[in-house]
């Protein structure tokens, strides 16, 4: 059997110097990006922009910044005699920018840690220099390229799992029973969330029941009128149906017309085309609100009558 091919010490030293020079270009990229964004945000044009103009200005600049970083690192790599400079700069900028965005969105890096970002980009540019070298063997570089190509689906999977975990944790600590109905055929849950806490303010749990043919997020007014809004909160002392059904307000007394019993623990209140159904389950009240038409009273009554305490997975896995 032939012995494994090893690089001569002089070649390894040359490759190490090449990677070190590329890492320096990665540090320059982070410093340039951080400094330019700070200058843009603190500029007079951004600070004097009306409304959310500064945010839009900074967002526009963030899209242009990777192109400028690529051009700068290409020039730096050429000055440092790292060849091919354009390919190393393209690979380092693309992967580095993507990793920083992923880590920032997943909150895996503490906010404002410029040194950690510089270290990450230095490593990415060093890896880019190693992947773009022209010497053999080819298979380690192919394996590294495959690993980089898998970053996007792995990040998407990790982001989805993290979002589900955060939402489940939020619902577990909602401070109010998670009342949910039997979802009618042709409808789905969306917009699930909580507000307030048990200790600081009145906790509420809310979501929407939307028709499937309206898509995941209703946009037009016609679609919005077909969406059922649900808010769940603790039953307050001023909830005294049928004389008073303002369920989720701490202000008392609240002018409100009487509400009509329609089922055990369910009452109906209406004004013009706005209809609310109140479903009391234990110490919690679910307010089911919609417009009728286009939402039928039968559908709203069935939703309110089927309210039960559900586990968090009932709302996160719909």
């Amino acid at each position: 059997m032939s012995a494994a091919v090893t690089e001569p010490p002089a070649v390894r030293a040359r490759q190490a110097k090449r990677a070190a020079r590329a890492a320096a270009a990665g540090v320059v990229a982070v410093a340039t990006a951080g400094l330019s964004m700070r200058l843009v945000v603190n500029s007079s044009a951004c600070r004097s922009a009306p409304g959310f103009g500064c945010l839009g200005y900074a967002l526009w600049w963030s899209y242009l910044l990777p192109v400028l970083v690529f051009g700068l690192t290409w020039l730096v790599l050429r000055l440092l005699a790292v060849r091919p400079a354009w390919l190393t700069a393209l690979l380092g900028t693309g992967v580095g920018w993507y990793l920083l965005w992923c880590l920032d969105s997943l909150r895996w890096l503490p906010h404002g840690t410029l040194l950690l970002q510089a270290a990450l980009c230095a490593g990415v540019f060093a890896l880019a220099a190693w992947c773009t070298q022209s010497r053999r063997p080819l298979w380690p570089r192919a394996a590294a390229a495959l690993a980089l190509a898998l970053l996007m689906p792995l990040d998407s999977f990790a982001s989805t799992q993290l979002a589900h975990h955060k939402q489940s944790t939020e619902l577990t600590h909602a401070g109010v029973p998670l009342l949910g109905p039997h979802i009618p055929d042709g409808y789905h849950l969306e917009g699930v969330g909580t507000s307030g806490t048990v200790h600081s303010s009145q906790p509420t749990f809310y979501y929407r029941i939307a028709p499937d043919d309206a898509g995941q997020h209703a946009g037009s007014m016609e679609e919005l009128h077909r969406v059922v809004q649900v808010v769940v909160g603790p039953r307050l002392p001023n909830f005294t149906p049928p004389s008073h059904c303002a369920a989720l307000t701490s202000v008392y007394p609240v002018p409100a017309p009487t509400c009509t019993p329609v089922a055990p623990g369910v009452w109906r209140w209406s004004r013009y085309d706005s209809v609310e159904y109140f479903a009391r389950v234990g110490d919690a009240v679910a307010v089911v609100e919609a417009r009728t038409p286009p939402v039928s009273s039968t559908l709203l009554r069935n939703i309110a009558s089927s309210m039960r305490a559900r586990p968090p997975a009932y709302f996160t896995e719909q």
Side-chain angles (χ1 to χ4, degrees):
M1 295 180 62
S2 59
V5 178
T6 59
E7 298 286 356
V11 173
R12 292 199 300 268
R14 191 161 56 247
Q15 292 174 350
K17 291 180 180 179
R18 182 173 181 272
R21 291 194 294 267
V27 175
V28 170
V30 171
T32 302
L35 179 61
S36 61
M37 283 301 296
R38 177 166 297 185
L39 291 175
V40 168
V41 172
N42 293 329
S43 65
S44 58
C46 192
R47 285 187 283 107
S48 60
F52 295 98
C54 185
L55 178 61
Y57 192 65
L59 184 62
W60 173 84
W61 181 254
S62 68
Y63 291 138
L64 180 62
L65 195 55
V67 180
L68 299 179
V69 169
F70 163 71
L72 178 62
T73 53
W74 183 10
L75 177 61
V76 171
L77 289 170
R78 285 187 62 85
L79 293 176
L80 296 177
V82 177
R83 300 291 189 274
W86 72 271
L87 186 57
T88 305
L90 181 63
L91 184 60
T93 302
V95 175
W97 202 266
Y98 179 73
L99 285 180
L100 289 178
W101 177 83
C102 292
L103 295 177
D104 181 66
S105 62
L106 295 175
R107 299 296 189 269
W108 287 354
L109 279 179
H111 181 68
T113 52
L114 189 60
L115 291 179
L116 289 178
Q117 295 175 5
L120 176 64
C121 278
V124 167
F125 269 81
L127 180 62
W130 178 74
C131 287
T132 56
Q133 61 184 343
S134 59
R135 296 184 58 83
R136 295 178 179 275
L138 181 62
W139 71 265
R141 291 182 284 157
L146 178 62
L148 293 175
L150 292 176
L151 282 176
M152 186 170 293
L154 290 177
D155 169 68
S156 178
F157 175 77
S159 299
T160 301
Q161 295 302 313
L162 182 63
H164 284 169
H165 175 72
K166 287 183 176 180
Q167 191 174 50
S168 297
T169 302
E170 177 187 354
L171 297 182
T172 301
H173 299 89
V176 65
L178 305 180
L179 301 185
H182 173 71
I183 306 300
D185 293 338
Y187 285 78
H188 64 271
L189 292 180
E190 64 180 32
V192 180
T194 64
S195 64
T197 63
V198 178
H199 304 290
S200 63
S201 61
Q202 177 181 322
T204 57
F205 164 58
Y206 54 85
Y207 52 89
R208 297 186 298 269
I209 304 175
D212 293 339
D213 58 4
Q216 286 297 317
H217 300 286
S220 66
M221 291 302 300
E222 181 180 355
E223 291 175 339
L224 289 174
H225 289 169
R226 298 169 59 203
V227 174
V228 179
Q229 309 284 341
V230 180
V231 181
V232 181
R235 181 173 62 88
L236 300 179
N238 60 326
F239 180 67
T240 55
S243 62
H244 194 280
C245 281
L248 303 180
T249 176
S250 58
V251 179
Y252 185 80
V254 176
T258 59
C259 45
T260 305
V262 295
V266 179
W267 298 266
R268 182 183 187 273
W269 173 90
S270 64
R271 176 176 293 173
Y272 304 111
D273 60 347
S274 178
V275 178
E276 292 183 357
Y277 281 77
F278 302 90
R280 183 176 64 194
V281 180
D283 292 330
V285 176
V287 181
V288 181
E289 181 180 5
R291 289 178 177 266
T292 177
V295 183
S296 69
S297 295
T298 301
L299 177 68
L300 295 176
R301 185 172 61 251
N302 291 338
I303 289 175
S305 301
S306 62
M307 284 291 173
R308 300 290 185 274
R310 311 284 185 176
Y314 184 83
F315 302 95
T316 59
E317 297 178 359
Q318 287 288 340

